[in-house]
Amino acid sequence: MQLKIYLPKPVMMVMALIFCLSSLRGTAQKLKLNKLGYFETPGVNVLVFSNQYNGIFQDEKTAGVELIHHGVRTITGGAVRLQNTPEQWDLVPTLVNRKVDSVNHQIDVTMRYADYDFDSRITVTPKGNGVELNLYLDKPVPEKLAGRAGFNLEIIPSAYFEKTFLIDGKPGEFPLYPAGLTKMLPSSQKIPQFAGHSTFDDRGRNEFIEPAPLATGKTLVMAPEDPERTIKIQSFDADLKLFDGRSLAQNGWFIVRSLLPAGKTGKVLTWYIEPNAVPGWKRAPVIEFSQVGYRPEQQKTAVIELDKNDTPLQTATLFEITPDGKYVERLKAAVQHWGQFTRYNYLKFDFSSVKKAGLYVIAYGDQKTNAFPINANVYENIGHPTMDVWFPVQMDHMMVNEAYRVWHGAPFLDDALQAPPNHQHFDTYQMGPTTDTKYKPLERIPGLNVGGWFDAGDFDIETPSHCSVVLNFVEAWENFKIDRDETYVDYPTRYVDIHRPDGKPDLLQQIEHGTLNLVAQVVNIGHPARGIIVPNLHQYHHLGDAVNETDNLPYNASLKPYQTDGKSSGTMDDRWAFTTRNIALDYQATAALAAASRALKGYNDTLSAKSLQSALKLWHEDDSLKMHMDSAARARNRFLAGNEMLAALQLYITTKDQQYADHFKKLIMPMLDRFPGFVMISALHAYPYMDKDYQDKIAAYMQKYKASCDEYDKQNPYGVPVTPGGWGGSGQVINYAITNYYANKYFPNIIGPEYVYKGLNYIFGCHPYSNLSFVSAVGVRSKKVTYGNNRADFRFIAGGVVPGILLLKPDFPENKEDWPFFWGENEVTIAGCAQYIVLSGAANQLGQHN
């Protein structure tokens, strides 16, 4: 007799799933060391210090041992660290050396903490279906670091939200919001942060927060229910502790950590790390195209990004969506093989022949895009969110309201204190040996609490960026006559209301707002300040309403901290003005002020006159200052010639005084020979104002310039400058497109409009990694998670332009949409957004002169 056991259907399904997953995982391929110096199998890449800590902002979460798991970077920061949950400004190790041993299939890395004379070495080798990591010490952990130094792996929380873990078989879940236990310890036990700064406002109590672990054990399995995110970590020497770094900082990560033993040398720690690899995994193709759409007459090319193990299909198809919701095939065509760029292979699908206005979808195999338009007016509204919303939200010293929402109160009415000499700020600002002003260190400089914009996701006034914004806004006003009115600005009450017309062009109001602060600096300081920024690190990382970053009361040294008389405060939270004079900055401000004086004439004549007066003052003073520059000053002024050239051009356009034109031509011609791509836009800005001899010389450069543009078609499938580094390249692409707009305007037979459209397409979605528009709220699908002052809410500010693709070494392009805290990918800046406004005007004008 056969015994039959009947199980409930859900139980049978779960058992079948477990059997299926275990079978799949049992056939996973072994990791191998590839020619690019990292371990690889389909679905899993383990990088070992391919990317290093750069030291500028300490920990950018792009260094150490890292994991790219089924196409997504989920782990970073694998290194010896000195805290359970390191914050951005905690110390990071310096890479002493990195050796890739292709014979023994091993990567060796030596790290050093110079402040503690502490070296450690890790080796990573393939083992089983993962890697073994061994940590060696030649000398014991220094006494000051005993019980503090440990090996950490940092796991991006967004990849494990709504997922579970098992630690020594005990279940747990990754918290969506930090809710773990913490304890307070005396500050004497805290490892000092960068340059002695502190991210924690302890209100004078001399203590700090230390998070407790969420779980402890020897074997951790993360996301066992999700084959694409399952990772097993085993420690053979010490406990694994799982922490949530978000208890200290919203940009913190989940951390797996083992403490290093005290008093031991040699091999002191061994971990086995096994990321699950789904057998035969291939990244799904990404169809990259413009989310804004296309004009009927323009070239229309989608780029299809393929896993390197994927077999290309032969064709792609364009469907029109009819009013009754049907998909009608309009074009089926062969795709062109472009080749490999970074780690992916690329195909191109040209559908330029389709010119009918309508809504369309591109299909490639099983992949299908969202709908996008082809229409003559697709660029008509692309600048509106940036001018209507993003720039008003960035307005400093004003309360900003939008319908039922208050973005922020009127902040920094206590501006500003004189920064002390010889001070190195954590955000790269620094003071020289003197203040270069009439003010004593920490004395209040009056008159600075007017105008200006928050620079980016933080709340400083970054004067070079301000100058750039004013110059771009004047360019947009003079060349494209953008006269939209959707913002109410009232200075007597320091009030701004979004979506509320007030009868004044918004662009002029923004030029006015930036110029007010630049003039205030020249009048009250004597020259432009490098920047105005909070002095304390615990203020700097402020998220939320800017009005709360200071108490808005001027500092009064006669009062105690947190004491106030109602008019002033004993709390030194006022922003500092970094006033070391920089002639290159003087010239940049001269250019901005000279340009602003033109735009404001007839709108705010008083400010227009002050602006030109300030520009001329700086120009004449700098002529004298240049003659007495020492080597240190020349090093600080490495951008001197370029900014001097800009100042001369703007003064000439404003005053029509020939001496400035002659000076401009004297400077730009040698620079065109040395840096044609860098200064071509300035050469073209000057073109309509200069004589025929100048214009003929510029014409002679255009064929050479065109050839340099065509080189991009060979470098990448997008035909634009895709730049490496710690900051995405959207700004370079926008500058490229604007330059080509003017080149097309003056030399249409050499530079066609497609050189502009390539840049527009890239910004709006035809770029690596995804097909999202890099301008929030512009295009059908766009960035909804950005690094703005509301980033802790995982949200965006409409119209913000993100830096875009970060190219991580050796071959990984990335732009996170589920984690806003990568500033190099997602931080929106005033300079980038103002430049984009120029591009929006150029895009709308492009169809009119072609």
Side-chain angles (χ1 to χ4, degrees):
M1 180 178 179
Q2 185 177 6
L3 178 65
K4 294 183 179 181
I5 300 175
Y6 293 94
L7 296 173
K9 187 175 181 180
V11 175
M12 294 177 66
M13 292 175 65
V14 170
M15 291 180 67
L17 177 61
I18 292 172
F19 175 78
C20 178
L21 292 179
S22 61
S23 299
L24 287 173
R25 292 170 182 173
T27 61
Q29 297 181 41
K30 308 297 185 185
L31 285 159
K32 296 180 180 179
L33 184 62
N34 67 19
K35 294 180 180 179
L36 294 175
Y38 61 84
F39 301 103
E40 179 180 32
T41 195
V44 174
N45 307 147
V46 178
L47 283 63
V48 181
F49 278 83
S50 295
N51 300 285
Q52 304 173 23
Y53 299 104
N54 64 28
I56 299 175
F57 294 108
Q58 300 302 293
D59 186 0
E60 298 186 26
K61 306 298 184 191
T62 55
V65 177
E66 302 182 273
L67 174 67
I68 300 170
H69 205 187
H70 299 105
V72 178
R73 188 167 62 100
T74 60
I75 284 180
T76 192
V80 171
R81 300 299 301 272
L82 309 183
Q83 291 84 9
N84 293 336
T85 59
E87 297 177 74
Q88 177 185 328
W89 300 100
D90 283 316
L91 300 181
V92 294
T94 301
L95 180 69
V96 177
N97 60 61
R98 176 179 185 265
K99 180 182 177 183
V100 178
D101 185 345
S102 58
V103 174
N104 295 305
H105 308 284
Q106 179 172 296
I107 300 177
D108 294 85
V109 170
T110 301
M111 299 167 282
R112 178 171 177 77
Y113 284 96
D115 291 349
Y116 297 93
D117 189 26
F118 175 43
D119 293 348
S120 60
R121 179 170 62 90
I122 61 171
T123 66
V124 182
T125 55
K127 181 178 180 180
N129 290 328
V131 295
E132 184 175 89
L133 184 149
N134 290 293
L135 194 148
Y136 299 86
L137 299 178
D138 293 332
K139 295 187 296 185
V141 175
E143 184 178 348
K144 290 183 179 180
L145 300 181
R148 292 291 178 185
F151 185 83
N152 292 15
L153 273 185
E154 304 198 32
I155 301 110
I156 193 166
S158 56
Y160 287 88
F161 287 154
E162 301 180 334
K163 291 182 171 46
T164 64
F165 62 83
L166 293 166
I167 191 157
D168 291 350
K170 298 177 183 177
E173 62 184 61
F174 289 99
L176 183 64
Y177 199 83
L181 294 174
T182 61
K183 61 182 178 181
M184 301 307 298
L185 295 173
S187 295
S188 59
Q189 295 183 26
K190 184 176 175 63
I191 302 294
Q193 295 182 288
F194 167 75
H197 296 288
S198 176
T199 53
F200 182 54
D201 182 6
D202 70 353
R203 298 285 163 144
R205 294 174 60 88
N206 293 319
E207 59 187 14
F208 71 100
I209 301 172
E210 183 172 84
L214 301 175
T216 301
K218 285 293 201 307
T219 300
L220 171 67
V221 181
M222 302 189 298
E225 72 276 24
D226 183 351
E228 290 199 352
R229 292 291 170 266
T230 303
I231 303 172
K232 178 171 71 174
I233 303 175
Q234 290 178 294
S235 174
F236 300 97
D237 310 284
D239 282 341
L240 295 172
K241 297 183 179 184
L242 177 64
F243 291 92
D244 188 346
R246 297 172 301 157
S247 295
L248 289 184
Q250 279 80 1
N251 63 355
W253 292 35
F254 296 132
I255 292 165
V256 182
R257 171 175 173 83
S258 286
L259 282 174
L260 303 186
K264 290 189 176 181
T265 59
K267 184 167 70 173
V268 298
L269 186 70
T270 298
W271 278 14
Y272 174 66
I273 305 168
E274 183 181 297
N276 180 59
V278 174
W281 180 87
K282 290 182 290 192
R283 181 173 180 262
V286 180
I287 306 171
E288 298 158 354
F289 65 100
S290 171
Q291 293 284 352
V292 162
Y294 303 84
R295 283 185 173 138
E297 73 276 8
Q298 78 175 87
Q299 184 176 328
K300 310 173 193 71
T301 304
V303 174
I304 301 169
E305 187 175 81
L306 297 181
D307 189 286
K308 63 184 178 182
N309 296 312
D310 203 348
T311 301
L313 302 177
Q314 297 302 307
T315 61
T317 307
L318 184 75
F319 294 94
E320 182 182 6
I321 305 176
T322 63
D324 56 0
K326 294 181 180 178
Y327 284 62
V328 179
E329 183 180 309
R330 295 302 184 195
L331 177 69
K332 185 172 185 178
V335 294
Q336 298 175 328
H337 291 246
W338 186 88
Q340 185 171 342
F341 174 64
T342 64
R343 62 172 48 203
Y344 301 119
N345 289 323
Y346 290 88
L347 311 174
K348 300 182 82 169
F349 172 56
D350 191 328
F351 55 101
S352 302
S353 60
V354 177
K355 301 181 185 296
K356 179 186 175 185
L359 294 174
Y360 293 87
V361 162
I362 301 168
Y364 172 83
D366 295 334
Q367 302 299 311
K368 188 179 290 185
T369 69
N370 56 273
F372 61 89
I374 295 177
N375 199 36
N377 69 347
V378 292
Y379 299 115
E380 190 171 271
N381 302 321
I382 60 173
H384 294 174
T386 307
M387 284 304 300
D388 293 0
V389 181
W390 196 85
F391 265 102
V393 170
Q394 299 300 116
M395 291 174 74
D396 201 349
H397 304 113
M398 306 289 281
M399 176 182 176
V400 179
N401 182 74
E402 181 184 15
Y404 293 0
R405 175 178 192 164
V406 176
W407 280 95
H408 59 79
F412 305 117
L413 302 185
D414 45 5
D415 277 343
L417 301 182
Q418 169 67 62
N422 297 315
H423 182 82
Q424 175 65 59
H425 192 268
F426 40 79
D427 194 17
T428 74
Y429 297 90
Q430 59 184 6
M431 286 290 296
T434 66
T435 63
D436 286 337
T437 71
K438 63 183 180 182
Y439 301 101
K440 298 176 182 177
L442 302 181
E443 181 180 355
R444 185 165 191 260
I445 303 175
L448 297 181
N449 56 359
V450 60
W453 304 278
F454 309 143
D455 177 48
D458 43 17
F459 299 102
D460 54 322
I461 285 185
E462 214 268 355
T463 304
S465 294
H466 272 64
C467 296
S468 176
V469 172
V470 171
L471 282 165
N472 277 295
F473 279 170
V474 172
E475 180 183 349
W477 175 252
E478 292 183 334
N479 287 278
F480 310 120
K481 302 301 178 187
I482 301 173
D483 59 359
R484 183 174 171 84
D485 174 22
E486 280 293 318
T487 307
Y488 173 87
V489 180
D490 183 59
Y491 285 108
T493 61
R494 295 184 182 268
Y495 185 71
V496 173
D497 208 5
I498 294 172
H499 310 306
R500 176 181 173 180
D502 62 0
K504 301 174 183 178
D506 296 341
L507 197 53
L508 282 181
Q509 288 180 310
Q510 293 296 340
I511 293 170
E512 178 183 40
H513 195 69
T515 305
L516 280 169
N517 193 265
L518 291 178
V519 169
Q521 289 188 35
V522 176
V523 170
N524 294 290
I525 295 173
H527 56 268
R530 167 65 179 83
I532 302 172
I533 188 169
V534 290
N536 301 306
L537 189 52
H538 64 75
Q539 294 175 270
Y540 177 73
H541 58 58
H542 174 83
L543 298 173
D545 192 332
V547 77
N548 296 313
E549 194 167 18
T550 74
D551 59 15
N552 250 352
L553 297 173
Y555 173 65
N556 183 344
S558 65
L559 298 174
K560 296 179 180 178
Y562 312 111
Q563 184 182 20
T564 176
D565 59 10
K567 296 180 180 179
S568 61
S569 163
T571 305
M572 194 185 291
D573 58 5
D574 309 37
R575 292 194 296 191
W576 289 2
F578 281 73
T579 58
T580 296
R581 192 156 192 180
N582 182 306
I583 301 176
L585 176 58
D586 278 13
Y587 279 127
Q588 190 183 14
T590 298
L593 290 164
S597 69
R598 298 195 304 272
L600 294 172
K601 194 171 185 179
Y603 174 78
N604 185 334
D605 287 330
T606 300
L607 185 59
S608 172
K610 287 183 179 178
S611 186
L612 182 57
Q613 182 181 5
S614 296
L616 292 171
K617 169 185 180 295
L618 294 176
W619 176 269
H620 293 304
E621 288 179 358
D622 288 341
D623 276 349
S624 174
L625 290 170
K626 273 193 304 183
M627 294 166 41
H628 301 95
M629 288 174 63
D630 57 21
S631 58
R634 293 187 184 280
R636 290 197 306 268
N637 289 276
R638 58 188 181 279
F639 302 116
L640 178 62
N643 288 345
E644 186 177 356
M645 177 186 72
L646 290 177
L649 175 60
Q650 294 302 325
L651 283 170
Y652 173 64
I653 296 172
T654 301
T655 68
K656 302 301 187 293
D657 188 330
Q658 187 61 37
Q659 67 166 317
Y660 299 119
D662 294 341
H663 198 76
F664 170 79
K665 288 188 284 187
K666 175 184 174 183
L667 290 170
I668 196 169
M669 289 308 172
M671 295 182 73
L672 268 175
D673 289 325
R674 297 174 60 195
F675 315 109
F678 178 71
V679 300
M680 181 55 72
I681 193 165
S682 296
L684 293 169
H685 282 156
Y687 187 85
Y689 303 101
M690 296 294 167
D691 55 28
K692 188 175 183 303
D693 178 65
Y694 174 88
Q695 293 180 346
D696 289 344
K697 288 179 179 177
I698 300 303
Y701 281 95
M702 294 314 298
Q703 289 292 350
K704 182 179 179 181
Y705 175 73
K706 179 181 183 299
S708 70
C709 293
D710 291 339
E711 282 296 312
Y712 294 123
D713 285 316
K714 302 174 185 177
Q715 295 174 12
N716 63 73
Y718 310 99
V720 298
V722 179
T723 54
W727 188 267
S730 292
Q732 289 89 330
V733 174
I734 292 173
N735 182 73
Y736 172 80
I738 294 170
T739 303
N740 289 336
Y741 164 79
Y742 290 111
N744 171 255
K745 181 177 181 179
Y746 302 131
F747 307 100
N749 295 330
I750 300 174
I751 302 293
E754 295 310 321
Y755 290 86
V756 184
Y757 287 128
K758 287 177 186 177
L760 288 163
N761 294 341
Y762 184 93
I763 295 300
F764 295 138
C766 192
H767 53 67
Y769 195 74
S770 76
N771 55 27
L772 293 177
S773 167
F774 283 152
V775 189
S776 292
V778 174
V780 181
R781 294 182 65 242
S782 63
K783 290 288 298 182
K784 294 194 288 291
V785 173
T786 69
Y787 190 105
N789 58 56
N790 62 342
R791 58 190 177 274
D793 302 320
F794 284 60
R795 297 299 293 160
F796 64 94
I797 303 171
V801 185
V802 302
I805 298 300
L806 196 65
L807 294 178
L808 295 166
K809 295 177 182 178
D811 65 347
F812 187 65
E814 181 181 80
N815 182 270
K816 289 283 190 184
E817 179 60 4
D818 60 0
W819 191 250
F821 301 106
F822 286 114
W823 59 84
E825 301 177 15
N826 285 327
E827 185 169 18
V828 184
T829 67
I830 57 172
C833 288
Q835 193 180 38
Y836 170 74
I837 289 298
V838 175
L839 180 59
S840 72
N844 280 289
Q845 287 288 320
L846 187 63
Q848 298 181 22
H849 64 71
N850 281 286

